[in-house]
């Protein structure tokens, strides 16, 4: 029982960190490209809606994959990591502005060239 509790607490912390980093990346991209309504509305959306919903989705993935894969820690770690990164990338892609005002290419100037820009 203690192992499950530790697994759940670790999952909550890891997923919260990933959700916060995802929201921070999206907020900085919006700010650099002057996208969205304004900074207060964008920040409010990220804090009140985006982070809690993303945390719930990622936590469900963490717990579901942990229950489904059982006692295979190496496989579970790889699958959970890949799923969390994929869902985070997709959540950024859903709210990424296509052609914002200050970023004609749709990508902030600080975005590295070797990383593909989010978007579907």
């Amino acid at each position: 029982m203690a192992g499950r509790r530790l697994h759940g607490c670790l999952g909550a912390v890891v997923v919260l960190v990933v959700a916060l980093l995802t929201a921070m990346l999206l907020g900085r991209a919006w700010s650099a490209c002057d996208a969205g309504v304004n900074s207060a509305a964008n920040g409010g959306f990220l804090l009140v809606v985006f982070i809690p919903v993303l945390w719930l989705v990622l936590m469900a993935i963490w717990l579901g994959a942990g229950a489904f894969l059982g006692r295979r820690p190496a496989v579970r770690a790889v699958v959970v990591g890949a799923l969390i990164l994929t869902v985070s990338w997709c959540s950024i892609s859903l709210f990424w502005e296509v052609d914002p005002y200050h970023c004609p290419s749709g990508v902030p100037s600080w975005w590295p060239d070797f990383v593909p820009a989010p978007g579907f």
Side-chain angles (χ1 to χ4, degrees):
M1 186 70 173
R4 287 185 180 193
R5 185 171 299 165
L6 178 64
H7 178 71
C9 291
L10 178 66
V13 171
V14 168
V15 165
L16 180 62
V17 168
V18 171
L20 289 173
L21 290 174
T22 303
M24 190 172 71
L25 179 64
L26 184 60
R28 294 210 178 187
W30 281 350
S31 179
C33 293
D34 197 25
V37 179
N38 58 32
S39 294
N42 292 345
F45 168 76
L46 289 173
L47 284 174
V48 175
V49 177
F50 187 79
I51 292 173
V53 170
L54 183 60
W55 184 82
L56 286 172
V57 169
L58 293 177
M59 196 67 202
I61 289 171
W62 179 282
L63 295 174
F68 182 72
L69 294 173
R71 297 209 178 259
R72 291 175 254 170
V75 174
R76 183 173 54 202
V78 170
V79 169
V80 167
L83 285 173
I84 285 176
L85 290 177
T86 301
V87 170
S88 295
W89 188 260
C90 290
S91 66
I92 289 175
S93 296
L94 286 175
F95 296 104
W96 193 270
E97 289 286 328
V98 177
D99 289 322
Y101 180 70
H102 292 293
C103 300
S105 64
V107 179
S109 59
W110 48 263
W111 192 266
D113 292 333
F114 63 90
V115 177
F120 292 118

